[in-house]
Amino acid sequence: MTKQFNTKNYDYLIVGAGPFGMTFAYEAAKRGKRSLIVEKRSFIGGNTHTHTEEGITVHDFGAHIFHTDNKEVWDYVRQFADFNGFQNQVIANYEGTLYNLPFNMNTFYQMWGTKTPAEAKAKIEEQKEAALKDLGDRQPRNLEEQAISLIGTDIYQKLIKGYTEKQWGRKATELPAFIIKRLPVRFIYDNNYFNHRYQGIPVGGYTQIFENMIDRSNGLIDVLTDTDFFDHKDTFLEEFPRVLYTGMIDQFFDYKFGELEYRSLRFESETLDTDNYQGNAVINYTDAKTPYTRVMEWRHFDGLGDKDKTIITREYPQDWDRSKEAYYPVNNEKNTELYKQYVQEARQNAPEVMFGGRLGKYRYFDMDQVFNDAFNTVRQEFGVAQDFNFAHDKA
Ligand code: UDP
């Protein structure tokens, strides 16, 4: 017997309860529209999901630090949670020697003993010229060329190459240059990992943001967890007039043009009988041999100091296959071309479906970009200039 899902005359089916789907559902609810969200996992929030253990907020899918220059997004998320003032200051451990990240005057001093910006720039220029003789005026063609042209060969060899190649499972020469441009390069003594003006973590974790969206939806959002859209795809598409899909776009079309490539992760957590294991929220292991890329110690994300236990998580990159969660799109040329075919297919054969989020758009979005992109989808769907800030007060 075919199961009926659209029993309440929902306006939208939303596939995936991550930030994109939840934000759209909440904004639709404010406009009187009813959504059913189907989520294959047993919880909401997607990869931002957090839980609390030993009084410590643990991010289940790797460190999520909210950072943005977009005031609209910043005001928006703070409707649903208080944010602490956490600033990410990452330490790199290369074969037992520690360096500050991102690449700044402290790193240059630790690497070369340079004390002024002019000395550091001269060192980088010298290494860049020696390593990239043929670069001239052309743009760097891959991550390795980009990294060397930004910070020279020593830092590339010790802090980038090993980390990047294990993170992505590919040679740095086969990766797009833009990935390394996520990290700031600064000629001041400043270890803030992000350049953004607003930065923090919700006190008590991210999950409350999405719980609050549901609580404030006047009953217009229903969520079915442990429900895989693909187990009932045809029924869903027949029953729902409008669909927002935040899963992998290639899977939506049954991989008909071939698989897009993704990178996956695996996490191993441990509770330890100490109040302070590593003295920092994140330590990156940048050599090629250590199988994990970074170790997070969660208590340092919310600055809570009086417990006798600590929880750490080691993050291991792994190859993606259809049995694993996709974490990162691999936005190289080959995949970008393939993705365009899926976009074309979506336009032609699935006009009732909107695609969103990291997997639906196949883009290496940060959280703030996901919220912003959800706003854009809301604007398109509801057809007018929409105001998002504190809108629940006005509703
Ligand atoms: N990266 C690196 N060394 C580090 C940290 C990052 O080479 O110690 C490079 C690596 O290629 C990584 C990219 O910078 O994929 C972006 O790092 P980010 O911390 O932004 O990655 P995310 O937190 O999104 O995994």
Side-chain angles (χ1 to χ4, degrees), residues 63 67 88 90-93 101 103 143 147 155-156 158-165 167-168 175 178-183 193-194 265 284-286 293-294 315 328 358 364-366:
H67 54 96
N88 200 20
V90 178
I91 300 286
N93 180 328
L101 289 175
F103 316 115
L143 195 153
I155 292 182
Y156 172 67
K158 292 184 176 170
L159 303 185
I160 296 178
K161 189 173 191 296
Y163 185 101
T164 295
E165 295 190 344
Q167 167 71 2
W168 294 96
L175 286 164
F178 83 88
I179 292 177
I180 199 64
K181 290 178 97 177
R182 290 170 58 83
L183 304 192
Y193 201 69
F194 303 113
L265 298 174
N284 288 4
Y285 288 79
T286 59
T293 47
R294 45 192 167 189
E315 180 172 326
Y328 297 88
R358 224 189 226 206
Y364 191 173
F365 277 138
D366 285 325

Side-chain angles (χ1 to χ4, degrees), residues 86-103:
F86 179 80
Q87 191 188 78
N88 200 20
Q89 299 203 6
V90 178
I91 300 286
N93 180 328
Y94 177 73
E95 297 185 343
T97 304
L98 304 185
Y99 300 90
N100 289 110
L101 289 175
F103 316 115

Side-chain angles (χ1 to χ4, degrees), residues 151-389:
I151 37 75
T153 39
D154 286 342
I155 292 182
Y156 172 67
Q157 290 295 341
K158 292 184 176 170
L159 303 185
I160 296 178
K161 189 173 191 296
Y163 185 101
T164 295
E165 295 190 344
K166 62 188 179 183
Q167 167 71 2
W168 294 96
R170 286 162 178 79
K171 297 254 165 262
T173 48
E174 288 158 18
L175 286 164
F178 83 88
I179 292 177
I180 199 64
K181 290 178 97 177
R182 290 170 58 83
L183 304 192
V185 178
R186 296 196 189 103
F187 293 92
I188 52 175
Y189 292 90
D190 177 356
N191 298 327
N192 184 354
Y193 201 69
F194 303 113
N195 276 330
H196 293 134
R197 178 166 184 176
Y198 309 111
Q199 193 174 155
I201 294 177
V203 178
Y206 285 90
T207 307
Q208 64 182 310
I209 293 180
F210 308 106
E211 286 167 352
N212 284 335
M213 287 178 171
I214 296 170
D215 288 349
R216 295 176 194 175
S217 74
N218 297 323
L220 293 176
I221 301 176
D222 289 325
V223 183
L224 278 180
T225 50
D226 299 300
T227 305
D228 189 338
F229 169 75
F230 290 99
D231 289 345
H232 313 276
K233 182 180 172 193
D234 292 342
T235 313
F236 279 129
L237 294 181
E238 266 163 39
E239 289 184 9
F240 287 81
R242 198 93 175 105
V243 176
L244 179 76
Y245 173 85
T246 69
M248 298 183 297
I249 187 167
D250 53 346
Q251 185 181 14
F252 185 89
F253 293 109
D254 204 17
Y255 308 99
K256 68 187 284 186
F257 304 120
E259 271 177 13
L260 289 162
E261 292 171 292
Y262 300 90
R263 191 71 177 147
S264 191
L265 298 174
R266 183 170 68 78
F267 298 95
E268 271 179 15
S269 295
E270 251 186 280
T271 303
L272 304 171
D273 289 323
T274 170
D275 65 340
N276 191 359
Y277 168 72
Q278 64 178 14
N280 202 40
V282 185
I283 299 194
N284 288 4
Y285 288 79
T286 59
D287 65 290
K289 276 199 220 98
T290 306
Y292 42 88
T293 47
R294 45 192 167 189
V295 180
M296 281 71 71
E297 185 171 9
W298 301 110
R299 58 180 305 144
H300 297 308
F301 288 82
D302 45 30
L304 298 175
D306 60 350
K307 299 190 190 72
D308 54 6
K309 289 208 190 303
T310 197
I311 302 173
I312 62 162
T313 301
R314 294 190 181 83
E315 180 172 326
Y316 297 79
Q318 62 177 2
D319 287 341
W320 174 83
D321 63 44
R322 292 185 195 184
S323 69
K324 305 217 171 65
E325 288 293 335
Y327 284 81
Y328 297 88
V330 182
N331 294 112
N332 58 20
E333 264 173 50
K334 177 182 145 205
N335 291 318
T336 304
E337 283 312 305
L338 185 54
Y339 171 66
K340 281 186 197 154
Q341 281 183 270
Y342 283 112
V343 171
Q344 185 64 18
E345 177 72 11
R347 281 206 194 103
Q348 275 168 3
N349 293 328
E352 76 287 9
V353 183
M354 298 173 274
F355 292 83
R358 224 189 226 206
L359 303 178
K361 289 258 171 71
Y362 198 65
R363 283 197 35 203
Y364 191 173
F365 277 138
D366 285 325
M367 284 181 286
D368 62 323
Q369 295 169 312
V370 172
F371 279 94
N372 189 53
D373 203 41
F375 294 170
N376 289 336
T377 302
V378 170
R379 288 187 176 108
Q380 278 160 18
E381 183 67 4
F382 295 99
V384 271
Q386 302 285 331
D387 171 20
F388 296 99
N389 293 346

